[in-house]
Amino acid sequence: MKQVSSFTPSADKPAITIIGAGVIGVVTARTLQQQGYSVTLIDKDDPAEACSSGNAGILAAYGVVPLSLPGILKKAPGMLLNPSGPLSIRRQYLLRIMPWLWQFWRASQPERVEHIASALSPLLRHTVRDYQQLTRDTSAQPLIVSSPVLCAYKDEAAYLNDKMVWDLRAKHGVTWHTLSGSAVQEMEPALTKDCQFAAVFENCGYTLNPKRLVKSLFEDFMHEGGSFIRSAVQHIRPVNASEIRLQLANNESYKASRLIVACGAWSGQFTKALGEPVPLEQERGYHLTLSNFDGTAPRYPIMSPSHKVIATPMETGLRIAGMVEFGGFLPPDPSRATALHQHLRSLFPHISAGTPSSWMGHRPSLPDSLPVIGASKKHASVFYAFGHQHVGLSSAPMTARVMSELIANQPTSIDITPFRVDRF
Ligand SMILES: Cc1cc2nc3c(=O)[nH]c(=O)nc-3n(C[C@H](O)[C@H](O)[C@H](O)COP(=O)(O)OP(=O)(O)OC[C@H]3O[C@@H](n4cnc5c(N)ncnc54)[C@H](O)[C@@H]3O)c2cc1C
């Protein structure tokens, strides 16, 4: 593999500090470094150990549909009552989540859904191309796979039942074709014959290992002269227009001249300290990865709208991921992994045995399914990049591009007004 070329920091560019070494922080750090900035990443843990480590790995150019849709109020009770269903609220968390759920429901109004889809579309559209570019000639390059993603239904009637979401996707530039009957099994022999209809997303892809992808980009960043501080940031305090003081875990003080807050589900503490509170929730999701199994893995990632899960063939095994659980930082619920295992068995009946491993992560989610991307409205030199909910892996490259444009005081490639921090 060819060595990455060297990027020399430019003396006339400000030094950048990023809190958070998940996919958003690392891709942003690497992008800024490639543009000649000197960048320091700070994380309380090693890079890619939080939400970015265990996601489904899909580069979801199609991911424009928000979670909150018209009719959600009618569907939610049924989902909550189903123990292996896609939605759950931990009893201890019920009262706490109510205000967030109220705003979530308000986001389901048709005109807001339209607004959200049109904001998400440019953030996601070129995700595969952007990752190919970011990883070109590096050790991460083989981890990016350009591939169709199948959305598998029992029959055409079930597909047509989801007409609202397909119409929304079509309106916002998502492309797909459909298959029925034996053509589904011909394309994907591993899939159950119970699925007789599929929509095949084009212009998509996946990574063979989301954790290794971010770690590998981080290694390139360090190799090219980036800096990393492994410490929790406890507090931030703007001093003047070009100085922000960070208090680190060991009580050390750190001076930043430009700061990007990119710490996923933990970002709310910093916006609050800066006088810009946001309703950021830790929307929990789970995966189960089956390795060493008997039978053939699927060729492509497969989404099942009825189970609300997605299965991805990864280098670590076959991963099935999904679930929306509200429970803050309470311990994981083991029954979620059991439910995922059952879904895997029903989608891929020829797969047996295997070694399962499970994981839970905290998606950084705002009630309108949009991230916060932009400059602080109160403090020059502070920037935000968090809240990427279900599509943080896919939207990291465009988020990073926008960050670099904002820092350079250039017009942004996409409209970022829907992502402003003071929209709530
Ligand atoms: C089950 C599941 C499946 C998913 N599938 C997909 C998918 O297929 N495609 C897709 O695009 N997205 C997917 N996502 C969403 C995606 O994983 C997230 O949107 C993304 O990982 C968020 O990245 P992040 O960098 O913002 O946050 P994180 O990865 O959580 O990183 C935040 C970092 O901030 C650090 N931090 C926090 N507080 C502090 C502090 N005080 N001081 C220092 N450091 C701090 C943390 O240690 C952490 O490293 C999925 C999520 C889940 C849960």
Side-chain angles (χ1 to χ4, degrees):
M1 193 64 57
K2 203 171 93 186
Q3 275 294 308
V4 283
S5 58
S6 197
F7 300 99
T8 314
S10 157
D12 58 351
K13 292 190 169 175
I16 313 292
T17 303
I18 302 176
I19 315 177
V23 68
I24 300 295
V26 170
V27 171
T28 302
R30 186 75 183 123
T31 303
L32 285 164
Q33 181 182 55
Q34 288 175 335
Q35 295 178 8
Y37 290 90
S38 158
V39 184
T40 300
L41 271 166
I42 307 181
D43 201 295
K44 61 185 167 69
D45 215 329
D46 284 337
E49 290 296 330
C51 196
S52 304
S53 69
N55 59 52
I58 307 295
L59 303 179
Y62 60 80
V64 299
V65 178
L67 205 56
S68 184
L69 289 168
I72 182 87
L73 219 51
K74 262 197 220 150
K75 285 187 187 158
M79 289 188 205
L80 283 167
L81 287 172
N82 177 357
S84 61
L87 175 67
S88 61
I89 304 178
R90 300 292 283 271
R91 213 171 342 111
Q92 307 92 306
Y93 209 68
L94 197 58
L95 275 183
R96 205 167 141 196
I97 192 66
M98 281 304 166
W100 191 93
L101 286 178
W102 165 249
Q103 292 196 55
F104 180 71
W105 172 75
R106 288 189 44 191
S108 72
Q109 310 307 311
E111 66 289 352
R112 294 197 64 192
V113 167
E114 186 56 49
H115 162 81
I116 294 163
S118 85
L120 286 174
S121 167
L123 204 53
L124 298 166
R125 194 172 298 145
H126 299 299
T127 175
V128 179
R129 182 201 68 188
D130 290 350
Y131 270 108
Q132 284 169 336
Q133 226 161 298
L134 189 68
T135 58
R136 183 161 303 137
D137 295 334
T138 74
S139 58
Q141 184 172 330
L143 295 176
I144 302 297
V145 183
S146 170
S147 159
V149 173
L150 271 74
C151 188
Y153 285 97
K154 181 169 157 275
D155 52 26
E156 188 171 6
Y159 165 74
L160 293 173
N161 221 13
D162 278 350
K163 186 174 176 332
M164 180 174 62
V165 298
W166 290 104
D167 286 350
L168 195 64
R169 287 180 180 130
K171 197 165 171 191
H172 294 284
V174 177
T175 52
W176 70 91
H177 63 273
T178 59
L179 299 174
S180 57
S182 59
V184 179
Q185 264 68 44
E186 270 162 36
M187 180 164 183
E188 186 47 273
L191 186 62
T192 169
K193 289 196 170 67
D194 292 346
C195 291
Q196 287 289 311
F197 196 89
V200 183
F201 290 114
E202 293 141 10
N203 187 29
C204 289
Y206 64 101
T207 172
L208 290 169
N209 188 334
K211 184 171 182 163
R212 194 154 80 81
L213 172 66
V214 180
K215 287 204 184 278
S216 173
L217 289 169
F218 173 78
E219 276 160 25
D220 293 342
F221 166 75
M222 294 302 284
H223 180 72
E224 295 298 321
S227 308
F228 179 60
I229 300 174
R230 196 181 189 281
S231 173
V233 177
Q234 293 185 323
H235 192 65
I236 59 180
R237 182 174 60 85
V239 177
N240 56 44
S242 57
E243 184 181 331
I244 307 114
R245 281 284 163 90
L246 276 61
Q247 190 192 317
L248 305 183
N250 51 9
N251 249 345
E252 242 178 72
S253 175
Y254 173 94
K255 212 162 77 175
S257 56
R258 296 282 188 287
L259 179 71
I260 300 177
V261 175
C263 37
W266 294 265
S267 304
Q269 58 179 310
F270 298 123
T271 65
K272 194 171 168 197
L274 295 171
E276 301 181 297
V278 287
L280 183 67
E281 188 48 51
Q282 304 83 37
E283 188 203 323
R284 296 146 59 109
Y286 289 78
H287 86 213
L288 179 123
T289 306
L290 195 66
S291 55
N292 306 317
F293 51 82
D294 297 332
T296 313
R299 296 172 178 162
Y300 307 108
I302 299 188
M303 187 201 289
S304 163
S306 61
H307 300 307
K308 303 226 177 318
V309 293
I310 189 149
T312 315
M314 291 194 172
E315 65 178 11
T316 46
L318 176 57
R319 175 168 298 173
I320 184 160
M323 305 286 178
V324 166
E325 183 183 72
F326 295 103
F329 293 107
L330 290 168
D333 174 354
S335 75
R336 305 273 96 202
T338 310
L340 284 174
H341 207 158
Q342 282 163 2
H343 295 328
L344 186 145
R345 299 261 182 245
S346 71
L347 282 171
F348 308 108
H350 302 300
I351 286 179
S352 59
T355 315
S357 69
S358 59
W359 168 90
M360 184 199 73
H362 299 91
R363 300 182 190 96
S365 296
L366 290 145
D368 59 4
S369 298
L370 293 176
V372 171
I373 303 174
S376 159
K377 303 285 174 193
K378 297 208 168 169
H379 304 283
S381 308
V382 176
F383 300 84
Y384 298 127
F386 64 86
H388 294 74
Q389 42 103 11
H390 291 234
V391 288
L393 170 69
S394 313
S395 50
M398 184 51 85
T399 300
R401 182 182 308 171
V402 166
M403 280 293 118
S404 70
E405 290 162 346
L406 288 172
I407 282 170
N409 252 324
Q410 289 167 356
T412 52
S413 301
I414 62 170
D415 177 17
I416 57 163
T417 43
F419 310 134
R420 63 190 195 281
V421 66
D422 61 350
R423 66 182 188 268
F424 296 99

